[in-house]
Amino acid sequence: MDNKPRNARPSPEHNWLIETNSPYLLQHAHQPVNWYPWTEEAFRRAKSEKKPIFLSIGYATCHWCHQMAHECFEDQEIAAYLNEHYIAIKVDREERPDIDNLYMNVCMLMNGHGGWPLSIFMTPDQVPFYAGTYYAKKTSLHMIGFHELIIQLHKLYEQDQAQVISVGAEIKQALAQLQEQQAAGTLPPAVFQMAFEQLYVTYDNLYGGFGQEMKFPMPHQLLYLLRYGKFHDEPVAQKMALNTLNSLYNGGIYDQIGFGFSRYSVDETYIVPHFEKMLYDNALLLYATAEAYQVSKDPFYEQKMRELITYIRRVMVSPEGGFYSGEDADTEQEEGKFYTWTKEEVLNSLDEELGPLYCEVFHITAEGNFEGKNVPHLIHTKLADIAAEHEMPVETLQQKLEKARQILFEVREQRTHPNKDDKILTGWNGLMIAGLAKANAVLQDEGVELLAVGAIRFLEKQLFQNGRLMRRYRNEEVREYGILDDYAAVLWAYIELYETTFSPEWLQKAVHIADEMVELFWDQEEGGFFLTGSDAEPLLIRQREMQDEAIPSGSSIAAVALVKLARLTSRADYEEKVITLLQLGARTINAHPEGYLYLLISYMMLTEGTKEVIMVGKLSEEQRQLLSSLKKDFLPNTIYLHCEDPEAYKDIIPNITDYQPAETGANFYICENYTCRQPVHDPKDIQQMLDR
């Protein structure tokens, strides 16, 4: 926590957020509210002046955060009241997920729902007594206005301290009980089917995805379904995953002109998105697309991988090689302005043939599908039928549409672009590196590998300080200790890089970061991982978080990675940690398996077993071709280890020197349940053994 003393507003033009380097906090730096960042000075002032704290949490690309800022925090009357009666603190949830996670749990406990902006009212001791999300300035039939709310809550704080203390005590007790719910138990084999059935009940047979209103792409749902379908002989599961991914790519949630996914769809059809684009969504959907290709061998997914990588390379890569965090939903204070089109704009941009054709294929109408404008999409489009109507081959139609896309892209480039959240977050970069490495296993494209390696080199250079992994980089400033999610995502990245390149460097670094992760985050008394390290700033409670949200939890990612690493290195202690973690979460997982899908993937690896392919010696050309082919197959529980020189691995795999190379080419040792068969080196024999 920053403890720089701040005794008054620094100037009439700006507040204390001006001293920060967070894009989100800087968006609020010139507001009349006397905002503080999360600092010791802010809490000291609250205590000395006996004022409650208003804590506002959001992020730079959040549309409703912008909306509340314009309505409330730029309002002079509201600002004057807050400045007189509260200490106001702003937190960027992406820089301080520990704070966000804690108070989001509070909001969920108090209201049954949450979201951003997150609005918390608390004592100077950080104990909350009221929680909410977005508020308009004035009271309506549906919601109390923010101005009235801050007046009422200040009166409560001043006149009924007993009530404030009572509510705070109840919240602290409820938070403690959330941790206690993680009590040891066992997971029955039926838990996999239970999770599938929960997904099946909410699955949208018409449009794919889950639920019938707003739809958030959650790629770990797709990863689970692909594995469940394979190991439990349930083709419906894989069909659900592929149909969902197809709808995502055909919908307006996918930028049909410039590529990349928006955060979520506001409708069940995936046509109208909430336009912000986040690095983590695109990273995990890239990973899911690579696995969809492995399952189906459909070239559609290869094309979409290349498009996503094109978007990332064009928009999200910093000059130093790291990946930016996201792009805003708004342009010039208007949601989706950059991305939407009138029919007239499309027709004026294209020629007499391409204009009407593009409008027909991508459903561009005079009425529009979003506030009088159009989000281009392919939902309900059947290219074969349109090609037949126009008496042309599908390939010709696709070529014409690609020409139209390129023209519209150049036209759109002349518009004012959305703001970019240019901070670089360690965990999200780890996810993108893992996604790129996975895609490269299929694409086998040197440029994709270089993109991934460049990003990991950036993390190693800038975000390790004195051996400690940090969370955020921006403008040469590094801040905040990395949380579990950061360590787990970087571990995942190292493992994927190793399985793509077979460079021993990545495996050595995976072992190192895994050991550091266990040292910093493992609960030595009860088991499981804490969200924050043993050296982190203490909050109300030290949280453990297993449940997946928009992305898998740090515990889930760590579990899957540790199972893989255990099998790669013969480190039984890694696997023991995962077993303990699963036992700790058994009660809550059994009650709601759909919320722990990525963690269940680690359990599926343990119950179904893994197959280790240990290749010792220099691969022959035939063996290299076989391995290239194997990487394109969906073999999620098959783990590859290639030691051209076993001596390079002996420090991390002590028994590796027991494996011998062949006289020509490499020996392939196929191992299951810590038992290896006799080595083979003929590609036909290798394939037969893998097929058993």
Side-chain angles (χ1 to χ4, degrees):
M1 183 187 289
D2 181 5
N3 60 3
K4 184 184 294 185
R6 298 173 176 88
N7 296 316
R9 186 176 175 90
S11 83
E13 289 76 32
H14 53 251
N15 54 54
W16 291 113
L17 301 183
I18 199 69
E19 295 185 351
T20 71
N21 209 359
S22 156
Y24 174 64
L25 300 188
L26 289 171
Q27 288 173 356
H28 299 262
H30 297 278
Q31 293 169 349
V33 176
N34 189 24
W35 291 112
Y36 283 80
W38 182 277
T39 61
E40 289 182 6
E41 175 63 20
F43 293 104
R44 186 197 64 77
R45 279 201 62 197
K47 289 176 182 178
S48 66
E49 297 176 20
K50 298 180 180 180
K51 290 180 178 179
I53 289 169
F54 169 58
L55 171 65
S56 177
I57 303 175
Y59 57 101
T61 58
C62 167
H63 169 72
W64 290 106
C65 301
H66 303 332
Q67 190 75 12
M68 188 169 176
H70 297 318
E71 289 187 49
C72 299
F73 305 144
E74 294 172 4
D75 182 87
Q76 294 290 341
E77 188 177 14
I78 286 177
Y81 195 89
L82 280 174
N83 294 342
E84 181 177 355
H85 298 287
Y86 291 85
I87 299 299
I89 297 177
K90 265 282 176 194
V91 165
D92 182 337
R93 68 171 293 260
E94 294 169 353
E95 291 193 358
R96 291 301 304 267
D98 52 339
I99 297 171
D100 175 63
N101 191 73
L102 173 63
Y103 291 106
M104 184 59 72
N105 281 334
V106 168
C107 189
M108 295 291 291
L109 286 168
M110 298 185 83
N111 302 304
H113 59 85
W116 297 279
L118 179 59
S119 303
I120 301 292
F121 296 83
M122 61 186 187
T123 71
D125 295 319
Q126 304 178 16
V127 180
F129 59 89
Y130 193 88
T133 54
Y134 164 82
Y135 293 96
K137 177 185 177 180
K138 296 182 178 179
T139 298
S140 66
L141 291 173
H142 308 291
M143 180 192 303
I144 188 172
F146 187 69
H147 195 193
E148 184 178 345
L149 178 68
I150 58 178
I151 293 171
Q152 288 188 10
L153 289 177
H154 185 261
K155 286 181 179 177
L156 172 70
Y157 188 81
E158 288 286 301
Q159 299 173 10
D160 197 348
Q161 272 290 304
Q163 174 69 8
V164 170
I165 293 169
S166 174
V167 171
E170 289 177 7
I171 289 297
K172 288 182 70 174
Q173 183 179 7
L175 288 170
Q177 287 174 348
L178 280 180
Q179 303 297 301
E180 292 168 5
Q181 285 176 10
Q182 297 172 352
T186 57
L187 288 172
V191 71
F192 300 118
Q193 183 177 348
M194 291 162 56
F196 168 67
E197 289 175 349
Q198 287 186 348
L199 288 171
Y200 186 81
V201 166
T202 60
Y203 176 68
D204 183 342
N205 279 294
L206 187 58
Y207 296 108
F210 305 90
Q212 299 298 324
E213 295 180 1
M214 288 192 302
K215 286 182 179 175
F216 290 77
M218 293 189 179
H220 50 280
Q221 294 175 329
L222 311 183
L223 302 183
Y224 179 83
L225 286 168
L226 293 177
R227 285 159 177 76
Y228 182 81
K230 179 177 179 65
F231 293 118
H232 292 260
D233 193 25
E234 182 53 83
V236 170
Q238 293 194 339
K239 185 177 179 182
M240 289 164 60
L242 297 180
N243 286 349
T244 297
L245 200 55
N246 291 346
S247 287
L248 285 167
Y249 276 113
N250 288 326
I253 193 172
Y254 184 67
D255 182 353
Q256 301 293 340
I257 291 174
F259 312 139
F261 283 101
S262 295
R263 179 68 199 91
Y264 62 89
S265 169
V266 302
D267 63 340
E268 75 275 11
T269 64
Y270 288 119
I271 290 174
V272 180
H274 183 55
F275 294 89
E276 64 186 287
K277 292 180 178 178
M278 308 303 294
L279 181 68
Y280 58 82
D281 285 317
N282 287 280
L284 292 171
L285 284 165
L286 176 60
Y287 196 99
T289 306
E291 291 204 335
Y293 175 84
Q294 291 175 320
V295 168
S296 68
K297 298 297 191 296
D298 188 337
F300 172 80
Y301 298 119
E302 179 179 353
Q303 175 191 340
K304 294 306 173 186
M305 279 188 281
R306 294 190 186 280
E307 289 179 1
L308 271 182
I309 294 167
T310 296
Y311 165 71
I312 294 300
R313 184 181 277 120
R314 187 183 70 243
V315 177
M316 301 298 277
V317 184
S318 73
E320 305 101 320
F323 298 113
Y324 296 134
S325 294
E327 289 190 287
D328 210 323
D330 299 359
T331 307
E332 299 169 338
Q333 299 186 11
E334 183 178 326
E335 185 181 7
K337 184 177 181 179
F338 179 74
Y339 298 102
T340 54
W341 301 78
T342 64
K343 185 173 183 179
E344 184 180 15
E345 285 174 325
V346 172
L347 294 175
N348 288 341
S349 301
L350 302 173
D351 63 29
E352 292 181 357
E353 179 194 14
L354 289 181
L357 186 62
Y358 188 89
C359 290
E360 179 183 0
V361 173
F362 286 90
H363 305 281
I364 307 298
T365 66
E367 299 78 19
N369 53 34
F370 177 75
E371 298 179 358
K373 295 184 178 181
N374 292 275
V375 180
H377 69 90
L378 291 164
I379 300 294
H380 304 307
T381 294
K382 295 182 179 179
L383 284 182
D385 292 349
I386 295 174
E389 289 173 11
H390 289 268
E391 299 180 342
M392 67 176 74
V394 172
E395 293 76 12
T396 302
L397 174 60
Q398 290 172 327
Q399 291 168 3
K400 290 179 181 293
L401 294 173
E402 173 58 17
K403 181 180 179 182
R405 185 199 69 79
Q406 292 177 10
I407 294 169
L408 293 174
F409 176 80
E410 293 302 327
V411 171
R412 199 178 76 174
E413 282 294 283
Q414 305 309 309
R415 298 176 177 177
T416 301
H417 283 240
N419 288 330
K420 187 177 298 179
D421 184 348
D422 62 355
K423 68 178 180 293
I424 296 172
L425 294 172
T426 299
W428 295 6
N429 271 249
L431 297 179
M432 180 53 74
I433 295 165
L436 288 166
K438 182 69 175 182
N440 194 49
V442 171
L443 299 174
Q444 297 172 16
D445 183 325
E446 184 179 353
V448 177
E449 181 182 326
L450 289 173
L451 193 60
V453 171
I456 200 73
R457 296 293 187 212
F458 171 83
L459 295 184
E460 291 172 344
K461 180 181 178 181
Q462 300 291 357
L463 281 145
F464 281 89
Q465 292 194 343
N466 301 318
R468 180 61 158 92
L469 186 60
M470 305 297 284
R471 176 147 180 95
R472 187 270 279 167
Y473 172 94
R474 185 172 187 264
N475 293 339
E476 300 184 357
E477 180 193 55
V478 176
R479 283 189 63 87
E480 314 302 347
Y481 283 157
I483 62 170
L484 174 64
D485 303 51
D486 298 305
Y487 276 79
V490 171
L491 172 58
W492 189 7
Y494 278 136
I495 291 172
E496 293 289 344
L497 281 171
Y498 175 73
E499 290 197 299
T500 300
T501 66
F502 296 122
S503 169
E505 173 191 4
W506 306 128
L507 189 57
Q508 290 166 348
K509 289 177 175 177
V511 169
H512 176 75
I513 201 78
D515 290 342
E516 289 288 315
M517 180 177 73
V518 170
E519 178 69 23
L520 279 168
F521 299 96
W522 187 255
D523 184 345
Q524 299 293 344
E525 296 180 2
E526 297 184 26
F529 287 107
F530 288 114
L531 180 64
T532 52
S534 54
D535 54 354
E537 172 192 350
L539 299 175
L540 280 179
I541 59 169
R542 192 176 178 198
Q543 305 162 84
R544 285 193 302 256
E545 192 61 59
M546 293 189 193
Q547 186 166 345
D548 301 329
E549 298 294 345
I551 60 178
S553 69
S555 292
S556 297
I557 294 173
V560 174
L562 287 175
V563 173
K564 274 197 170 186
L565 199 57
R567 302 303 169 90
L568 281 166
T569 63
S570 301
R571 285 275 300 267
D573 57 316
Y574 290 150
E575 194 166 306
E576 289 166 3
K577 292 287 188 294
V578 178
I579 292 170
T580 300
L581 182 66
L582 290 165
Q583 291 172 341
L584 180 68
R587 189 165 70 183
T588 48
I589 297 170
N590 283 327
H592 180 45
E594 186 186 9
Y596 301 85
L597 295 175
Y598 204 73
L599 190 57
L600 285 176
I601 287 175
S602 72
Y603 188 43
M604 197 179 293
M605 294 174 75
L606 295 173
T607 56
E608 296 296 330
T610 59
K611 190 175 289 186
E612 294 84 56
V613 180
I614 302 173
M615 300 162 282
V616 182
K618 188 172 182 178
L619 295 167
S620 69
E621 184 56 35
E622 281 187 308
Q623 289 175 334
R624 200 174 295 278
Q625 289 177 7
L626 172 64
L627 183 59
S628 175
S629 175
L630 289 172
K631 287 183 176 182
K632 293 184 178 183
D633 290 337
F634 185 60
L635 303 168
N637 282 16
T638 299
I639 297 166
Y640 300 98
L641 177 72
H642 178 215
C643 308
E644 189 165 319
D645 177 14
E647 289 292 318
Y649 288 81
K650 65 181 183 181
D651 291 339
I652 51 174
I653 311 174
N655 64 338
I656 195 64
T657 52
D658 295 340
Y659 298 88
Q660 299 298 318
E663 291 184 8
T664 58
N667 264 333
F668 277 57
Y669 294 82
I670 314 298
C671 309
E672 293 181 83
N673 299 319
Y674 300 102
T675 301
C676 297
R677 302 172 194 165
Q678 288 296 312
V680 291
H681 62 273
D682 185 283
K684 293 179 181 177
D685 295 334
I686 296 166
Q687 186 68 67
Q688 287 177 0
M689 194 172 288
L690 285 170
D691 290 341
R692 290 180 188 173

